């Protein structure tokens, strides 16, 4: 992926990123090992995000075009991670309204049905949005440009948190069922 980014090859960088993200589809890792894998991949996605930010000199696509392009990734989980990565660039570029993009991302993240995968996806979404300052707030640039209000930020945070809680309950129920079957 990094080689494709250095060569300004958008197609190969997306293909390689999708393959890397495909490793997160595994069900054979414990949550601790899955976290280690997820953490390393999240670190690598920062290089991809930087590539997307430098649109004109690198790949010549707008953030909106990238947002539409990554929706064609083959598997759901890699597609969702790519959407979060590009969605943040989309909001940062001010091409899209923060409230609309964030609402879209929270809704699309429901496509991940596996509880562990969904929890980590939603954690990535929350950390990326918070870390980049992409939540509209009183007096910040996003609110001034019509990208949303504090209420939209609260709605995003609560929706994401609610879905994370549902996934956590499903994961706990699944673990209890496995323990009962082993006995």
């Amino acid at each position: 992926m990094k080689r494709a980014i250095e060569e300004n090859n958008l197609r190969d960088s997306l293909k390689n990123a999708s393959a890397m993200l495909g490793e997160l589809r595994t069900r054979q890792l414990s949550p601790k090992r899955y976290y280690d894998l997820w953490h390393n991949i999240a670190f690598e996605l920062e290089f991809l995000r930087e590539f997307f930010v430098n649109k004109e000199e690198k790949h010549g696509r707008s953030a909106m075009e990238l947002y539409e392009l990554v929706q064609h990734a083959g598997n759901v989980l890699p597609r969702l991670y790519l959407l979060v990565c590009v969605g943040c660039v989309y909001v940062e570029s001010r091409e899209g309204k923060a409230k609309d993009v964030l609402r879209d991302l929270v809704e699309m993240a429901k496509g991940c049905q596996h509880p562990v995968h969904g929890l980590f996806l939603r954690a990535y979404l929350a950390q990326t949005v918070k870390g980049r300052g992409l939540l509209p707030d009183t007096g910040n640039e996003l609110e001034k440009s019509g990208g949303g209000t504090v209420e939209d930020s609260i709605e995003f945070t609560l929706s994401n948190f609610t879905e994370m809680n549902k996934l956590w309950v499903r994961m706990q129920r699944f673990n209890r069922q496995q323990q009962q079957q082993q006995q």
Side-chain angles (χ1 to χ4, degrees):
M1 180 183 81
K2 287 182 184 176
R3 185 177 307 132
I5 290 172
E6 289 170 2
E7 295 171 357
N8 295 331
N9 188 334
L10 178 63
R11 180 185 162 134
D12 284 349
S13 63
L14 286 174
K15 184 177 85 173
N16 294 332
S18 185
M20 174 184 69
L21 289 163
E23 295 297 320
L24 289 173
R25 295 175 61 214
T26 185
R27 294 173 184 229
Q28 298 174 348
L29 297 176
S30 68
K32 166 105 174 74
R33 295 287 180 219
Y34 192 85
Y35 170 77
D36 294 337
L37 175 64
W38 174 83
H39 188 268
N40 290 331
I41 288 176
F43 179 77
E44 295 297 323
L45 283 176
E46 280 302 305
F47 295 107
L48 188 65
R49 193 195 70 76
E50 284 296 320
F51 177 61
F52 291 152
V53 168
N54 301 322
K55 64 178 178 187
E56 299 305 324
E57 62 215 44
K58 298 283 186 179
H59 51 76
R61 301 270 178 111
S62 69
M64 185 177 81
E65 291 172 325
L66 288 172
Y67 192 70
E68 292 172 3
L69 181 66
V70 298
Q71 293 186 32
H72 300 289
N75 293 309
V76 172
L77 194 60
R79 179 185 319 137
L80 292 172
Y81 274 95
L82 289 172
L83 278 169
V84 171
C85 187
V86 174
C88 290
V89 172
Y90 192 26
V91 172
E92 285 176 313
S93 71
R94 306 292 191 265
E95 290 181 42
K97 292 184 176 183
K99 66 180 179 182
D100 297 333
V101 175
L102 296 176
R103 186 178 307 124
D104 193 33
L105 291 173
V106 166
E107 288 302 313
M108 282 198 229
K110 289 180 181 177
C112 182
Q113 295 297 311
H114 190 276
V116 174
H117 299 170
L119 275 171
F120 280 94
L121 171 66
R122 289 186 174 279
Y124 177 72
L125 172 61
Q127 288 177 355
T128 305
V129 167
K130 182 180 177 269
R132 303 261 168 250
L134 301 178
L135 291 173
D137 196 2
T138 305
N140 76 358
E141 195 62 37
L142 289 170
E143 184 190 48
K144 291 176 185 174
S145 65
T149 63
V150 174
E151 288 81 18
D152 296 319
S153 296
I154 293 169
E155 180 185 334
F156 164 79
T157 304
L158 287 177
S159 296
N160 197 42
F161 185 69
T162 300
E163 292 301 320
M164 288 177 85
N165 280 331
K166 290 177 185 177
L167 290 167
W168 183 259
V169 168
R170 282 182 54 206
M171 188 172 70
Q172 294 301 317
R173 185 178 307 143
F174 179 72
N175 286 342
R176 274 191 234 118
Q177 287 174 351
Q178 277 187 330
Q179 289 173 353
Q180 287 174 356
Q181 288 175 355
Q182 290 175 355
Q183 294 175 354

